[in-house]
Amino acid sequence: MEILGASLRICVDDLEAAVPFYERLAGSRALRFERGGVQVAAVGSFLLMSGPEAELEVLRKVAATIAVKDVEDAHRTLAELGARIVAGPVATPAGRNLIAMHPDGAIFEYVDHGG
């Protein structure tokens, strides 16, 4: 499994207020999308999320989003190492993702760009 990078997940009350700060901080424009009622803005290494508290409560349990070359390869490796696949792999607007709980209880999202 090849790890390409990671994004820090940040839940914010007001996405519109938060985006300009992170755009200046990261030196790049936000890529925005919506998923399951949650508004998301990807800015550099930051993944800002805003929406209903019930949805955010679940999202807060995911420590980070890890970009990988191939989610299917990540799925095989994680399973071999004893991780529990919580969700996925599934297609997303930007590629594929899965959510895995590592043996130590940490939860991570793994994403690719369509392999």
Side-chain angles (χ1 to χ4, degrees), residues 47-111:
L47 197 59
L48 309 176
M49 299 173 287
S50 184
E53 186 54 39
E55 297 293 328
L56 295 179
E57 186 179 340
V58 172
L59 295 173
R60 283 188 183 101
K61 294 177 181 173
V62 179
T65 297
I66 300 171
V68 295
K69 188 171 183 180
D70 182 355
V71 160
E72 296 298 333
D73 183 39
H75 182 265
R76 283 188 297 275
T77 301
L78 288 161
E80 287 171 10
L81 294 173
R84 182 168 67 85
I85 306 306
V86 177
V90 296
T92 71
R96 298 172 295 179
N97 80 334
L98 68 80
I99 296 176
M101 179 183 290
H102 293 184
D104 61 9
I107 301 173
F108 292 92
E109 176 186 36
Y110 290 81
V111 299

Side-chain angles (χ1 to χ4, degrees), residues 3-17:
I3 295 176
L4 305 175
S7 295
L8 303 170
R9 301 165 61 93
I10 304 167
C11 295
V12 298
D13 292 331
D14 185 345
L15 192 66
E16 297 310 314

